[in-house]
């Protein structure tokens, strides 16, 4: 299967075609542009006989029988230079380091048939180097650009400008640009209008820590960088603009992980007026599906996306971010063991994963599944295997009563050769463990769609959840409309209230959360009251929204798919930092620029700040600050 990594660095869908840079013109060297008449990816067999000037980085060098061959690289591709012994060009090209920037002039020659390189678009020609000018000499490199040898992420990020010259990174960043252009074009075609929202604003309870900016003019006060343009995009709807979008920068002070970059990220921010949930789904699904089919035509992208309730997702997949490429599903079998004499299962929450046709699986398969579960925090992973007569074998078979075996087989629809993995305990912990067992068992038994993008909508999220201290808090977006409206807020147990909230998930990665918004001040006050916000605090923190809702607000809703995660999936990269030009590292540091930096005492005084260099006390200890 071809991936984007196999293509020339310019060969990305949506990128400027290699022959569009500027027209081919036959001219004398003196009349040429100072640095180039052609790009390194532009020349073809039809150009043989032209005089050309190209500029770029010395990518590779080979001396074959006294003849020097040099690959010169620029943004558009690679062209081969040839120099013969005794020429000035031979001496120059022999002695300069890799990654030196040079300008080379010479005649374009057609290669003989046996020397054609079919893997390069310029592989039918070469340039007989005549003059060489060094434009930018290179010191010894901290790591190789070609070949792309393994190198630590720390070194790569410290020298990111050099890392971005490597073919894979160059393709990823060009892919990102093309994807953003495609997203923007498709949104405009659907009648959305692009707006920009403020970067300096007020703090907002979006579920993560804000990055704060101290005010010089107002001592002791701070701006916040937006975690998302949430309030502003809703205010655009109240202002009557109907369909908004933005490729929006967002800032969150949160820990890094493979699919989340600390510090900042970009999202396709969307808001629509006079819509219900299905209208948002229709618009977003058409854009996302078309983009994935455009940039990954070799992989299957199915539409429409299935709708899975939050509760069903946890029961069937063990997570609200299910990887639907895996065909196997979990089954709650707690009832089967409610009165069991097997103490490990009796009266506990028990989840089962049935894997059909395992007669040919070696014992190592079962051992590997158990090792995976233990690595994720389980004390073990029980299993049995059904034979054709409905009997079971396996480590725990002797502990199960006949009626339990029969009930278990019925619950998981077991046939001869079906293996059933079982885990018992706290529902949340069991879900976490069994979700990974489900995916890995699917992969190892051929029940996994490797070359596919499997999307789904997760719907019917709970409006509230209980924290570890027993307090009710918002489980998702605090500006969402509860299902049932004000009546539900007044009459239902908060933990039973569902919201018009939804996530879009692809291959086990959440691309976005969204919601139909609450646009009623009365509902807003009540919703925040349940989460512990008195009316005065709501008015203080969300006064702008309240005033807007009191002066005629339309029903509206939206979503914000993550651009970085979309590109990560399309580039088939396991780490989101591979598709961001200048990311922070896992510790939220910019190793290239040295951020975060210390600030001088004079600047701190100007901002009315003093630095307390004592380490913060752990949460829960006397004197520790507890977030509101």
């Amino acid at each position: 299967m071809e991936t984007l990594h196999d293509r020339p660095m310019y060969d990305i869908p949506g990128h400027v075609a290699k022959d569009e840079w500027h027209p081919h013109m036959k001219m004398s060297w003196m009349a040429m542009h100072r640095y180039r008449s052609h790009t390194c990816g532009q020349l073809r067999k039809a150009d043989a006989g032209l005089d050309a000037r190209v500029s770029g980085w010395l990518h590779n060098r080979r001396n074959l029988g006294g003849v020097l061959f040099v690959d010169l690289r620029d943004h558009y591709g690679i062209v081969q230079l040839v120099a013969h012994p005794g020429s000035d060009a031979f001496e120059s090209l022999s002695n300069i380091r890799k990654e030196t920037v040079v300008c080379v002039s010479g005649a374009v020659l057609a290669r003989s048939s046996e020397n054609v390189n079919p893997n390069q678009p310029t592989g039918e020609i070469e340039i007989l180097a005549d003059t060489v000018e060094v434009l930018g000499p290179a010191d010894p490199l901290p790591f190789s650009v070609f070949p792309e040898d393994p190198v630590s992420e720390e070194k790569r990020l410290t020298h990111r400008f050099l890392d971005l010259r490597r073919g894979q990174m160059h393709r990823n960043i060009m892919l990102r640009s093309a994807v953003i252009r495609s997203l923007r074009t498709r949104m405009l075609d659907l009648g959305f209008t692009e707006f920009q929202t403020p970067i300096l604003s007020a703090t907002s309870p979006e579920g993560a820590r804000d990055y704060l900016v101290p005010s010089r003019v107002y001592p002791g006060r701070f701006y916040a960088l937006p975690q998302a343009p949430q309030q502003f995009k809703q205010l655009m709807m109240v202002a009557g603009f109907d369909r908004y979008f933005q490729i929006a920068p967002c800032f969150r002070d949160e820990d890094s992980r493979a699919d989340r970059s600390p510090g900042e990220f970009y999202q396709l921010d969307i808001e629509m007026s006079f819509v219900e949930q299905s209208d948002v789904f229709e618009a977003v699904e058409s854009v996302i599906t078309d983009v994935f089919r455009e940039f990954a035509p070799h992989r299957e992208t199915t539409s429409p996306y299935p709708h899975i309730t939050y509760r069903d997702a946890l029961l069937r997949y063990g997570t609200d971010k299910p990887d639907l490429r895996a065909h196997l599903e979990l089954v709650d079998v707690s009832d089967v063991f409610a009165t069991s004499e097997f103490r490990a299962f009796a009266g506990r929450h028990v989840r089962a994963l049935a894997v059909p046709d395992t007669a040919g699986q070696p014992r190592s398969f079962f051992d590997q599944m158990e090792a995976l579960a233990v690595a994720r925090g389980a004390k073990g992973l029980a299993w049995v295997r059904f034979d054709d007569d409905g009997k079971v074998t396996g480590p725990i078979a002797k502990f199960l009563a006949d009626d339990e075996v029969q009930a278990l087989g019925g619950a998981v629809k077991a046939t001869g050769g079906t293996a059933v993995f079982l885990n018992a305990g706290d529902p949340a912990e069991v879900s976490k463990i069994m979700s990974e067992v489900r995916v890995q068992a699917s992969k190892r038994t051929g029940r996994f769609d490797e070359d596919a993008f499997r999307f789904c909508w997760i719907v019917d999220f709970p409006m509230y959840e209980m924290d570890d201290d027993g307090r009710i808090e918002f489980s998702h977006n605090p500006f969402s409309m509860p299902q049932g409206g004000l009546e539900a807020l007044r009459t239902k147990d908060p933990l039973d209230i569902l919201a018009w909230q939804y996530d879009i998930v692809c291959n086990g990665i959440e691309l976005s959360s969204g919601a139909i918004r609450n646009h009623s001040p009365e509902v807003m006050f009540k919703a925040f009251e349940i989460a512990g916000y008195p009316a005065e605090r709501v008015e203080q923190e969300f006064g702008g929204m309240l005033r807007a809702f009191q002066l005629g607000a339309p029903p509206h809703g939206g979503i914000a798919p993550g651009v970085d995660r979309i590109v990560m999936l399309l580039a088939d990269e396991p780490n989101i930092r591979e598709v961001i030009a200048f990311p922070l590292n896992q510790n939220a540091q910019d190793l290239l620029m040295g951020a975060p930096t210390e600030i001088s005492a004079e600047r701190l005084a100007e901002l009315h700040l003093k630095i307390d260099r004592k380490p913060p006390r752990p949460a829960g200890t006397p004197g520790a600050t507890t977030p509101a």
Side-chain angles (χ1 to χ4, degrees), residues 63 102 174 204 289 307 415 423 431 449 470 479 555 559 574 588 600 610:
N63 192 321
V102 296
M174 289 306 299
S204 177
T289 299
H307 297 184
T415 58
N423 190 249
S431 291
D449 301 326
F479 303 109
I559 195 169
S600 69
K610 290 184 178 180

Side-chain angles (χ1 to χ4, degrees), residues 463-464 474 478-482 484-490 517-531 533-535 538-539 542 545-553:
M463 184 82 177
Y464 300 98
F474 290 109
F479 303 109
S480 303
M481 179 67 80
L486 186 60
E487 179 67 17
L489 295 177
R490 285 174 171 169
R517 318 300 182 187
N518 163 46
H519 64 284
S520 161
E522 194 174 11
V523 173
M524 186 173 175
F525 276 121
K526 186 62 179 178
F528 277 90
E529 177 190 321
I530 292 172
Y533 288 73
V538 175
E539 290 174 347
F542 310 111
M545 292 275 282
L546 279 171
R547 289 192 297 274
F549 289 171
Q550 289 164 347
L551 296 176

Side-chain angles (χ1 to χ4, degrees), residues 153-207:
E153 184 177 69
E154 179 180 6
K155 187 173 287 188
R156 290 177 59 202
L157 293 181
T158 301
H159 303 88
R160 189 62 160 187
F161 51 88
L162 186 64
D163 189 44
L164 289 171
R165 296 182 194 174
R166 307 211 293 180
Q168 182 170 321
M169 285 304 304
H170 191 279
R171 284 187 291 270
N172 285 352
I173 300 307
M174 289 306 299
L175 171 65
R176 181 190 180 97
S177 176
V179 167
I180 289 174
R181 181 168 64 178
S182 180
L183 289 169
R184 178 173 280 116
T185 299
R186 294 179 190 283
M187 294 302 296
L188 293 170
D189 289 345
L190 285 177
F192 286 80
T193 306
E194 185 170 12
F195 298 101
Q196 288 72 47
T197 51
I199 297 298
L200 292 177
S201 185
T203 186
S204 177
E206 294 286 343

Side-chain angles (χ1 to χ4, degrees), residues 302-332:
T302 55
S303 181
Y305 308 160
H307 297 184
I308 305 169
T309 68
Y310 172 78
R311 187 183 301 273
D312 277 354
L314 293 183
L315 285 174
R316 294 164 56 192
Y317 308 108
T319 176
D320 60 355
K321 304 171 184 60
D323 190 340
L324 297 188
R325 292 174 298 173
H327 297 181
L328 301 176
E329 294 188 11
L330 305 176
V331 179
D332 184 349

Side-chain angles (χ1 to χ4, degrees), residues 17 29 106 118 194 201 232 270 288 316 325 366 375 414 458 496-497 514 525 544 558 604:
W29 295 345
E194 185 170 12
S201 185
F232 288 107
I270 298 170
I288 296 296
R316 294 164 56 192
R325 292 174 298 173
F366 297 91
I458 306 299
D496 291 335
I497 299 172
F525 276 121
L604 288 172

Side-chain angles (χ1 to χ4, degrees), residues 21-22 27 29-40 52-56 72 74 101-106 127 131 133-136:
W21 185 73
H22 84 45
M27 59 182 75
W29 295 345
M30 293 302 294
M32 287 183 187
H33 184 275
R34 169 72 176 84
Y35 296 118
R36 56 186 178 187
S37 63
H38 301 80
T39 71
C40 291
R53 178 174 293 152
V54 290
S55 292
L72 192 69
D74 68 4
V101 179
V102 296
C103 178
V104 179
S105 300
I127 297 176
T131 63
E133 179 185 1
V134 174
L135 303 176

Side-chain angles (χ1 to χ4, degrees), residues 50 56 64 66 84-85 94 123 166 207 231 283 288 340 359 392 428 443 446 459 482 549 560 608 610 612 614:
L50 291 180
L64 303 178
H84 295 286
S94 296
R166 307 211 293 180
Q231 294 187 63
I288 296 296
S340 177
V392 294
K443 287 183 176 180
V459 298
F549 289 171
H608 318 285
K610 290 184 178 180
D612 181 1
K614 292 188 232 177

